[in-house]
Amino acid sequence: MDTPKFYNLPKLAYDYNALAPIISEDLLRLHHEKHHAAYVNGANAILQKMDKARTDNADFDTKAAFKELSFHIGGHLLHSLFWANLAPPGKGGGEKPSKTIAKVIDEEFGSFDRFKKLFSQTAVSAEGSGWAALTFCRKTNRPIIMQVEKHNTNVYPMFRILMVLDVWEHAYYLDYKNDRGKFVEAFWNIVNWTEVNKRLEDLLKS
Ligand SMILES: [Fe+2]
């Protein structure tokens, strides 16, 4: 198997200054190189600890390890999805949804504007650190909004994540101070709907 046994920090598909002024170069660099990297390293450290325990035939604190692993893997995977569902304004970012994603949003939420309002409310009202996500349920074929606490609480098992928005303070404080609402409003200018639609169409084909 060529698949790596550990997690890697993905490269961004755009330059660190490409999302400005919505997300400044300093903020994006810090968020990707420090915060996201910490989750990758955190998850890998636990995997290494578990590998060592296997080699040594030793026990480890499973409750603590799996709680921490869930947090770090959640952080890593959500950030990976987040970077890829963003694009520079005017270069794929901030257009309106089209094709399949536009249709399912209209059907479920009534209109794109109503969806935007509900998703924004979800992001703004996340307690403490968390995420807003648009997911898709294959049992009901509905797009469903999810409000994640931290990186791993309130997650619907098996629902594919189509789009996420990070509302941890580290995602906006440097540019927006405590004004999370302003950051959430600005987020719509960098959503990469082509990627969100691709995630949905890939799921529907699978
Ligand atoms: Fe983050």
Side-chain angles (χ1 to χ4, degrees):
M1 279 201 307
D2 291 335
T3 310
K5 288 283 204 177
F6 293 96
Y7 296 105
N8 292 307
L9 184 67
K11 282 197 177 9
L12 300 183
Y14 34 79
D15 292 334
Y16 282 119
N17 62 6
L19 301 181
I22 311 299
I23 298 176
S24 69
E25 178 173 358
D26 283 353
L27 175 54
L28 186 56
R29 192 180 286 278
L30 186 73
H31 197 173
H32 180 250
E33 286 182 343
K34 301 292 180 192
H35 291 279
H36 185 172
Y39 303 124
V40 172
N41 296 336
N44 288 340
I46 297 161
L47 293 179
Q48 280 162 352
K49 238 191 259 180
M50 295 196 307
D51 286 351
K52 187 169 184 315
R54 182 182 62 243
T55 309
D56 298 346
N57 198 22
D59 289 337
F60 61 92
D61 182 345
T62 48
K63 185 179 176 188
F66 293 130
K67 187 175 177 184
E68 209 185 334
L69 190 60
S70 164
F71 176 79
H72 287 299
I73 291 177
H76 167 47
L77 297 181
L78 286 170
H79 281 94
S80 302
L81 287 163
F82 183 47
W83 309 132
N85 68 225
L86 302 180
K91 291 180 188 166
E95 289 158 8
K96 281 209 165 180
S98 61
K99 300 182 183 170
T100 316
I101 188 72
K103 191 169 159 276
V104 301
I105 284 176
D106 279 350
E107 275 173 16
E108 179 65 27
F109 301 104
S111 68
F112 177 55
D113 284 343
R114 186 166 175 276
F115 160 71
K116 259 173 84 169
K117 192 173 143 197
L118 293 175
F119 189 92
S120 295
Q121 283 172 353
T122 305
V124 169
S125 66
E127 280 177 23
S129 300
W131 298 75
L134 177 64
T135 69
F136 196 83
C137 171
R138 283 301 260 151
K139 303 283 183 202
T140 58
N141 279 332
R142 283 172 184 263
I144 297 183
I145 293 173
M146 172 166 85
Q147 186 185 66
V148 182
E149 286 178 19
K150 295 184 282 186
H151 296 314
N152 49 349
T153 304
N154 299 344
V155 172
Y156 312 131
M158 304 290 289
F159 283 24
R160 187 72 64 90
I161 294 175
L162 306 179
M163 176 177 82
V164 284
L165 168 57
D166 187 343
V167 287
W168 281 56
E169 277 191 351
H170 72 225
Y172 58 87
Y173 208 85
L174 199 64
D175 289 351
Y176 297 85
K177 299 293 181 284
N178 61 341
D179 197 346
R180 185 192 284 182
K182 201 172 161 197
F183 170 62
V184 170
E185 206 181 297
F187 159 75
W188 297 107
N189 296 304
I190 51 171
V191 177
N192 182 347
W193 285 106
T194 305
E195 170 65 18
V196 180
N197 185 61
K198 185 180 176 300
R199 288 176 188 172
L200 173 61
E201 290 188 353
D202 287 350
L203 174 66
L204 295 175
K205 270 186 261 166
S206 64

